[in-house]
Amino acid sequence: MKDGWRPAEGPVVCIGETMAALAPGPSESLETAEDLRVSVAGAESNVAMYLADLGIPVSWLSALGDDALGRRVRAAVGAAGVDVGGVRSDPERPTGLLVKEPTGTRTRVHYYRGNSAASALGPDVLDDERLRSASVVHLTGVTPALSPTCRSLVVAALATPPAERPYAISFDVNHRPALWPPRTAASVLRDLADRADITFVGLDEAQELWGAALEPADVRKLLPHPRLLVVKDGGHAATAFGDEGAWTVPALRTEVVEPVGAGDAFAAGFLTGLLRGGGMERALRLGHITAASALKVTGDHGPLPDAARIKRLLDLPAHAWEAEADGRP
């Protein structure tokens, strides 16, 4: 089977809101913790930071409040090697905030992002000069839920037919139920996801949005137009669908500290694999390797394995990769 379509190698631009995040320690309760850790949290900047870790030139476009938290967010993303020169500073609106509440094996997230600086973003973001040289522009389903102008931004980005786009558009469904009015997310996200060149969706969120009995091949029938559709089945496997066929690679067995951010890390790894032209299975493997880095930390952005280990994992024969995935020695 031939390997699938891929974008030309080049810089990536990620567009979307990043917030300051507050969280208690791993074993503490939000109700009783005396101290909260401050970090940054945003799907698109997570992708950008992991892309930078993997050596891909990447910019992040957004808006932050002209406040201490905004300066902290900008500094943190920039320190990861991401170009933040296009991030706007809004003197009238605040930086968004989220608070994490660990509850057993899950983490509840409370958003305080109403009227945030990023909620005022609109289609004019697409005029930024960084898009002129971009190979891929990465968006998520979080942005259209933030405000009418943010939805217009995403709709405008996807309005140009794929054959006429100067760059490929990557779209992660990233369904956040708390951000959507009842019974609106399913149709909007399906329409947007089906217009992208590369679409990522978790099988669990596809089932929540479009039907509890869906399997990966069913999701492809619902989203037939992306050049590449990647369906992630949690810690089990990920399947990429393209015109040339489908590729499934099992996930690496990993001790999970917190699942938040793993999908963003996977997207960054997969996009890196695509841009480097190593083949579809190799791109899926790099997605899993990068996702494992996020699963091992309480923040959204964890350290990657060293380059030698990444290369060893990517070069494994299929049976040896499956042994790693099963946790066999």
PDB file of all heavy atoms in Angstrom, residues 24 27-28 49 70 76 97 129 131 134 136 141 161 210 232 238 249 251 281 284 304:
ATOM      1  N   PRO A  24      -3.936  22.009  41.989  1.00  0.00           N
ATOM      2  CA  PRO A  24      -3.288  21.502  43.200  1.00  0.00           C
ATOM      3  C   PRO A  24      -2.251  20.450  42.844  1.00  0.00           C
ATOM      4  O   PRO A  24      -2.144  20.034  41.682  1.00  0.00           O
ATOM      5  CB  PRO A  24      -4.454  20.885  43.977  1.00  0.00           C
ATOM      6  CG  PRO A  24      -5.414  20.464  42.914  1.00  0.00           C
ATOM      7  CD  PRO A  24      -5.290  21.482  41.814  1.00  0.00           C
ATOM      8  N   SER A  27      -1.611  14.695  44.340  1.00  0.00           N
ATOM      9  CA  SER A  27      -2.385  13.916  45.310  1.00  0.00           C
ATOM     10  C   SER A  27      -3.257  14.799  46.203  1.00  0.00           C
ATOM     11  O   SER A  27      -3.805  14.332  47.193  1.00  0.00           O
ATOM     12  CB  SER A  27      -1.434  13.097  46.197  1.00  0.00           C
ATOM     13  OG  SER A  27      -0.547  13.946  46.899  1.00  0.00           O
ATOM     14  N   GLU A  28      -3.428  16.058  45.828  1.00  0.00           N
ATOM     15  CA  GLU A  28      -4.175  16.991  46.667  1.00  0.00           C
ATOM     16  C   GLU A  28      -5.537  17.317  46.076  1.00  0.00           C
ATOM     17  O   GLU A  28      -5.764  17.177  44.876  1.00  0.00           O
ATOM     18  CB  GLU A  28      -3.367  18.280  46.858  1.00  0.00           C
ATOM     19  CG  GLU A  28      -2.083  18.088  47.631  1.00  0.00           C
ATOM     20  CD  GLU A  28      -1.379  19.410  47.878  1.00  0.00           C
ATOM     21  OE1 GLU A  28      -0.667  19.878  46.968  1.00  0.00           O
ATOM     22  OE2 GLU A  28      -1.565  19.975  48.975  1.00  0.00           O
ATOM     23  N   MET A  49       4.389  23.940  21.180  1.00  0.00           N
ATOM     24  CA  MET A  49       5.565  23.665  22.001  1.00  0.00           C
ATOM     25  C   MET A  49       6.155  22.298  21.693  1.00  0.00           C
ATOM     26  O   MET A  49       7.384  22.137  21.631  1.00  0.00           O
ATOM     27  CB  MET A  49       5.203  23.797  23.479  1.00  0.00           C
ATOM     28  CG  MET A  49       4.988  25.245  23.911  1.00  0.00           C
ATOM     29  SD  MET A  49       4.827  25.478  25.705  1.00  0.00           S
ATOM     30  CE  MET A  49       3.158  24.906  25.966  1.00  0.00           C
ATOM     31  N   GLY A  70      -0.892  37.128  31.401  1.00  0.00           N
ATOM     32  CA  GLY A  70      -0.609  37.148  29.977  1.00  0.00           C
ATOM     33  C   GLY A  70       0.882  37.159  29.703  1.00  0.00           C
ATOM     34  O   GLY A  70       1.374  36.445  28.815  1.00  0.00           O
ATOM     35  N   ALA A  76       6.289  31.659  28.783  1.00  0.00           N
ATOM     36  CA  ALA A  76       6.393  30.199  28.848  1.00  0.00           C
ATOM     37  C   ALA A  76       6.366  29.576  27.455  1.00  0.00           C
ATOM     38  O   ALA A  76       7.158  28.673  27.150  1.00  0.00           O
ATOM     39  CB  ALA A  76       5.261  29.637  29.700  1.00  0.00           C
ATOM     40  N   LEU A  97      -8.380  32.058  32.193  1.00  0.00           N
ATOM     41  CA  LEU A  97      -7.886  31.266  33.317  1.00  0.00           C
ATOM     42  C   LEU A  97      -8.651  29.962  33.393  1.00  0.00           C
ATOM     43  O   LEU A  97      -9.870  29.930  33.159  1.00  0.00           O
ATOM     44  CB  LEU A  97      -8.084  32.047  34.619  1.00  0.00           C
ATOM     45  CG  LEU A  97      -7.676  31.359  35.934  1.00  0.00           C
ATOM     46  CD1 LEU A  97      -6.165  31.218  36.013  1.00  0.00           C
ATOM     47  CD2 LEU A  97      -8.195  32.171  37.130  1.00  0.00           C
ATOM     48  N   GLU A 129       1.593  37.815   8.565  1.00  0.00           N
ATOM     49  CA  GLU A 129       2.612  37.477   7.564  1.00  0.00           C
ATOM     50  C   GLU A 129       3.172  36.075   7.736  1.00  0.00           C
ATOM     51  O   GLU A 129       3.675  35.474   6.774  1.00  0.00           O
ATOM     52  CB  GLU A 129       3.754  38.494   7.636  1.00  0.00           C
ATOM     53  CG  GLU A 129       4.469  38.505   8.975  1.00  0.00           C
ATOM     54  CD  GLU A 129       5.581  39.547   9.066  1.00  0.00           C
ATOM     55  OE1 GLU A 129       5.673  40.387   8.154  1.00  0.00           O
ATOM     56  OE2 GLU A 129       6.345  39.492  10.039  1.00  0.00           O
ATOM     57  N   LEU A 131       1.666  33.367   8.001  1.00  0.00           N
ATOM     58  CA  LEU A 131       0.916  32.382   7.215  1.00  0.00           C
ATOM     59  C   LEU A 131       1.397  32.309   5.766  1.00  0.00           C
ATOM     60  O   LEU A 131       1.134  31.335   5.074  1.00  0.00           O
ATOM     61  CB  LEU A 131      -0.582  32.686   7.247  1.00  0.00           C
ATOM     62  CG  LEU A 131      -1.349  32.102   8.451  1.00  0.00           C
ATOM     63  CD1 LEU A 131      -1.020  32.865   9.727  1.00  0.00           C
ATOM     64  CD2 LEU A 131      -2.844  32.101   8.214  1.00  0.00           C
ATOM     65  N   ALA A 134       3.775  29.439   5.609  1.00  0.00           N
ATOM     66  CA  ALA A 134       3.405  28.250   6.384  1.00  0.00           C
ATOM     67  C   ALA A 134       3.165  27.046   5.480  1.00  0.00           C
ATOM     68  O   ALA A 134       2.618  27.165   4.381  1.00  0.00           O
ATOM     69  CB  ALA A 134       2.156  28.524   7.210  1.00  0.00           C
ATOM     70  N   VAL A 136       1.709  24.285   7.204  1.00  0.00           N
ATOM     71  CA  VAL A 136       0.497  23.807   7.882  1.00  0.00           C
ATOM     72  C   VAL A 136       0.012  24.895   8.837  1.00  0.00           C
ATOM     73  O   VAL A 136       0.815  25.531   9.527  1.00  0.00           O
ATOM     74  CB  VAL A 136       0.772  22.517   8.688  1.00  0.00           C
ATOM     75  CG1 VAL A 136      -0.464  22.087   9.476  1.00  0.00           C
ATOM     76  CG2 VAL A 136       1.226  21.385   7.774  1.00  0.00           C
ATOM     77  N   GLY A 141     -11.227  22.656  17.559  1.00  0.00           N
ATOM     78  CA  GLY A 141     -12.629  22.908  17.799  1.00  0.00           C
ATOM     79  C   GLY A 141     -12.905  23.716  19.051  1.00  0.00           C
ATOM     80  O   GLY A 141     -14.064  24.056  19.317  1.00  0.00           O
ATOM     81  N   PRO A 161     -11.266  26.295  -0.838  1.00  0.00           N
ATOM     82  CA  PRO A 161     -11.208  24.871  -1.195  1.00  0.00           C
ATOM     83  C   PRO A 161      -9.792  24.322  -1.033  1.00  0.00           C
ATOM     84  O   PRO A 161      -8.811  25.040  -1.282  1.00  0.00           O
ATOM     85  CB  PRO A 161     -11.652  24.855  -2.654  1.00  0.00           C
ATOM     86  CG  PRO A 161     -12.464  26.094  -2.830  1.00  0.00           C
ATOM     87  CD  PRO A 161     -11.831  27.112  -1.926  1.00  0.00           C
ATOM     88  N   TRP A 210     -21.398  12.016  17.771  1.00  0.00           N
ATOM     89  CA  TRP A 210     -22.084  11.548  16.571  1.00  0.00           C
ATOM     90  C   TRP A 210     -22.667  10.147  16.650  1.00  0.00           C
ATOM     91  O   TRP A 210     -23.295   9.696  15.712  1.00  0.00           O
ATOM     92  CB  TRP A 210     -21.128  11.632  15.370  1.00  0.00           C
ATOM     93  CG  TRP A 210     -20.550  13.009  15.194  1.00  0.00           C
ATOM     94  CD1 TRP A 210     -21.225  14.191  15.189  1.00  0.00           C
ATOM     95  CD2 TRP A 210     -19.167  13.336  15.005  1.00  0.00           C
ATOM     96  NE1 TRP A 210     -20.362  15.237  15.007  1.00  0.00           N
ATOM     97  CE2 TRP A 210     -19.085  14.748  14.882  1.00  0.00           C
ATOM     98  CE3 TRP A 210     -17.994  12.584  14.903  1.00  0.00           C
ATOM     99  CZ2 TRP A 210     -17.884  15.420  14.686  1.00  0.00           C
ATOM    100  CZ3 TRP A 210     -16.788  13.245  14.699  1.00  0.00           C
ATOM    101  CH2 TRP A 210     -16.740  14.643  14.601  1.00  0.00           C
ATOM    102  N   LYS A 232      -8.129   8.548  17.096  1.00  0.00           N
ATOM    103  CA  LYS A 232      -7.326   8.092  18.231  1.00  0.00           C
ATOM    104  C   LYS A 232      -8.213   7.334  19.199  1.00  0.00           C
ATOM    105  O   LYS A 232      -9.203   7.890  19.695  1.00  0.00           O
ATOM    106  CB  LYS A 232      -6.688   9.295  18.936  1.00  0.00           C
ATOM    107  CG  LYS A 232      -5.795  10.153  18.044  1.00  0.00           C
ATOM    108  CD  LYS A 232      -5.513  11.504  18.697  1.00  0.00           C
ATOM    109  CE  LYS A 232      -6.775  12.348  18.758  1.00  0.00           C
ATOM    110  NZ  LYS A 232      -6.566  13.652  19.439  1.00  0.00           N
ATOM    111  N   ALA A 238      -4.134   4.204  17.217  1.00  0.00           N
ATOM    112  CA  ALA A 238      -4.584   5.318  16.378  1.00  0.00           C
ATOM    113  C   ALA A 238      -4.593   4.826  14.940  1.00  0.00           C
ATOM    114  O   ALA A 238      -3.698   4.077  14.513  1.00  0.00           O
ATOM    115  CB  ALA A 238      -3.671   6.528  16.526  1.00  0.00           C
ATOM    116  N   VAL A 249      -1.708   1.878  14.226  1.00  0.00           N
ATOM    117  CA  VAL A 249      -0.518   1.630  15.041  1.00  0.00           C
ATOM    118  C   VAL A 249      -0.942   1.640  16.507  1.00  0.00           C
ATOM    119  O   VAL A 249      -1.574   2.600  16.967  1.00  0.00           O
ATOM    120  CB  VAL A 249       0.562   2.706  14.794  1.00  0.00           C
ATOM    121  CG1 VAL A 249       1.710   2.559  15.787  1.00  0.00           C
ATOM    122  CG2 VAL A 249       1.088   2.609  13.361  1.00  0.00           C
ATOM    123  N   ALA A 251      -0.845   2.044  20.566  1.00  0.00           N
ATOM    124  CA  ALA A 251      -0.202   3.020  21.444  1.00  0.00           C
ATOM    125  C   ALA A 251       0.801   2.331  22.355  1.00  0.00           C
ATOM    126  O   ALA A 251       0.665   1.141  22.675  1.00  0.00           O
ATOM    127  CB  ALA A 251      -1.260   3.737  22.274  1.00  0.00           C
ATOM    128  N   GLU A 281       2.999   5.122   8.987  1.00  0.00           N
ATOM    129  CA  GLU A 281       3.159   4.381  10.238  1.00  0.00           C
ATOM    130  C   GLU A 281       4.174   5.060  11.144  1.00  0.00           C
ATOM    131  O   GLU A 281       3.992   5.111  12.370  1.00  0.00           O
ATOM    132  CB  GLU A 281       3.564   2.932   9.948  1.00  0.00           C
ATOM    133  CG  GLU A 281       2.443   2.119   9.316  1.00  0.00           C
ATOM    134  CD  GLU A 281       2.716   0.628   9.334  1.00  0.00           C
ATOM    135  OE1 GLU A 281       3.631   0.203  10.067  1.00  0.00           O
ATOM    136  OE2 GLU A 281       2.009  -0.102   8.618  1.00  0.00           O
ATOM    137  N   LEU A 284       2.467   7.987  12.823  1.00  0.00           N
ATOM    138  CA  LEU A 284       1.611   7.531  13.922  1.00  0.00           C
ATOM    139  C   LEU A 284       2.445   7.137  15.142  1.00  0.00           C
ATOM    140  O   LEU A 284       2.080   7.434  16.281  1.00  0.00           O
ATOM    141  CB  LEU A 284       0.744   6.355  13.464  1.00  0.00           C
ATOM    142  CG  LEU A 284      -0.388   6.709  12.494  1.00  0.00           C
ATOM    143  CD1 LEU A 284      -0.943   5.437  11.851  1.00  0.00           C
ATOM    144  CD2 LEU A 284      -1.502   7.475  13.197  1.00  0.00           C
ATOM    145  N   LEU A 304      10.240  15.248  26.194  1.00  0.00           N
ATOM    146  CA  LEU A 304      10.327  14.123  25.265  1.00  0.00           C
ATOM    147  C   LEU A 304      11.462  13.187  25.664  1.00  0.00           C
ATOM    148  O   LEU A 304      12.405  13.598  26.344  1.00  0.00           O
ATOM    149  CB  LEU A 304      10.599  14.634  23.852  1.00  0.00           C
ATOM    150  CG  LEU A 304       9.491  15.410  23.147  1.00  0.00           C
ATOM    151  CD1 LEU A 304      10.018  15.963  21.828  1.00  0.00           C
ATOM    152  CD2 LEU A 304       8.291  14.518  22.899  1.00  0.00           C
TER     153      LEU A 304
END
